[in-house]
Amino acid sequence: MSKSFFSFFVSLLLITALFAGCGSKEETAATAEAPEEETGLPSGDVSLRVWGADEDEELVNQIISGFIKEYGSMANFTITFEAHSESSAKDEILGDVLNAPDVFTFADDQLMALVASGVLKKVENDSEISGRNLAAASEAASVNGTLYAYPLTADNGYFLFYNKAVISDEAVQSMDSLLAAAGAAGQKVFMEMNSGWYMYAFFGNTDMEIGLNDDGISTYCNWNAKYTNITGRDVAEAMAAIGRNPAFTCESNDGFVGGAADGTFAAGVSGIWDENGIKEAWGDNYAACKLPTYTVAGQQVQMSSYAGYKLVGVNSYSKNQAWAAKFADWMTNEQNQTLRFEMRGQGPSNTNASGSGAVAESKAIQALQQQAEYSSLQRVGGTYWDPAANFGTLMSQGNPSGKDVQTLLNEMVTEITGEESTGDLVTEEGEAAPEENTEEATEDAVEEATEETTEETTEETTEETTEETTAENTEETTTENSEENKQ
């Protein structure tokens, strides 16, 4: 190869490499710009309004600052926090949807109404969001298996606090032993039985039911049932027995911490909001665990509880919906749920955040997670609360009027459902069926009716026609009884 040809060949390689390098830089620059069609996040001016609890202002503003720092190079953000009640967010938003916020926090029992109204749409990255949160929290943010909101907290429930200087770890396993231990020390066990929120503890783990009808407003309830394995009467009598125990007391939840501090209470049913106060009252003797069992119908039944969750919603009418969803995602990530616990003491729904650091050291959070197995989402209409509170008040006092508890249960359920109820099983035809709501009981009823009809027919007919007539009557009676025993 000649020197001139070699020089030409080297020059050609250098020129090719130079052009290739320029192309690479241009491609990198194009990627860094992250055009809107690739990211789905528009650039330019982006304005977002965020609703949250008044107590969350400092926290949310810190979260906003972190978001702008993270994504500020992609758009010009104006994000403002506005204090609004989380318990009434649904009513305010549905009252003026077009002027509602882009992002808002709310209690999980408002989810169905917000979905039905079209304010909330399916969360786009639902698998990712569900995967990083506790299963129960994701369920609370879903309707029919579809995720419509971002889980934020998993701490709105109740469990048992107790003073280890008075109550042993063994004694807290049942309400009977708990009351006995407190009574022996001249102290009491506290529970707000006269509240529908706490009263659910006695009915929730039986085979009786309560919940919202398909309209999302009215409530179905059979807590006065006479046909279930554990009946409404069984539960009412068990509640009244606890209410009559001298070691039991029912007061407003506001008085629990004070009573723990002055030695009145050795244990009590409450939530994470009382943890700091109880720690101060009992010091190193402070402990917490799931709710105990209680005696009903001669057996021990684990007390249930309502579990509540805070969620973050993205308004489907938002003019900046893509960025609103991005902010909701950011607001509920592990980092910011941990920050929420540190600043506000609220338990995370994020799996990693709830199992590490200071959160994992919280006895209240651990007790809440123990109780989660026996908890249910609160799904009741507005007609539930007053009748339940009135009934709970009577039972917490040991039913001082002496009125038949079945009558009291019937009155409560009738007020809750808006339909007259006697506690009897009602068939599809609207007729009262036998109290035993089981397949075996139905078969027994048919067999009994068949035998009675056969005997009557035998007496009225001659010996020659007995066999034929009995067969006909048996067939007719079996059919009639089967219809009457439909659920």
Side-chain angles (χ1 to χ4, degrees), residues 96-107:
D96 192 358
V97 173
L98 297 180
N99 289 316
D102 302 277
V103 179
F104 55 95
T105 58
F106 65 99

Side-chain angles (χ1 to χ4, degrees), residues 165-187:
V166 181
I167 310 291
S168 70
D169 293 341
E170 292 74 26
V172 299
Q173 299 305 309
S174 76
M175 182 62 80
D176 293 337
S177 56
L178 179 62
L179 289 168
Q187 297 187 38

Side-chain angles (χ1 to χ4, degrees), residues 56-63 336 339-340 343-344:
D56 285 350
E57 182 172 5
E58 182 182 355
L59 167 66
V60 176
N61 280 330
Q62 191 165 324
I63 292 173
N336 286 312
L339 180 65
R340 177 174 288 272
M343 294 183 66
R344 295 279 290 112

Side-chain angles (χ1 to χ4, degrees), residues 87 107-112 136 139-140 156-158 195-198 200 210-212 216 219 223 304-309 375-382 384-385:
S87 62
D108 69 90
D109 61 334
Q110 303 169 58
L111 179 72
M112 291 179 66
E139 180 186 349
N156 193 17
Y158 44 94
S195 159
W197 170 254
Y198 293 99
Y200 177 78
I210 189 170
L212 283 174
T219 304
W223 284 2
S304 185
S305 62
Y306 270 138
Y309 301 83
S375 298
S376 302
L377 293 174
Q378 175 197 302
R379 294 292 183 264
V380 294
Y384 166 73
W385 301 104

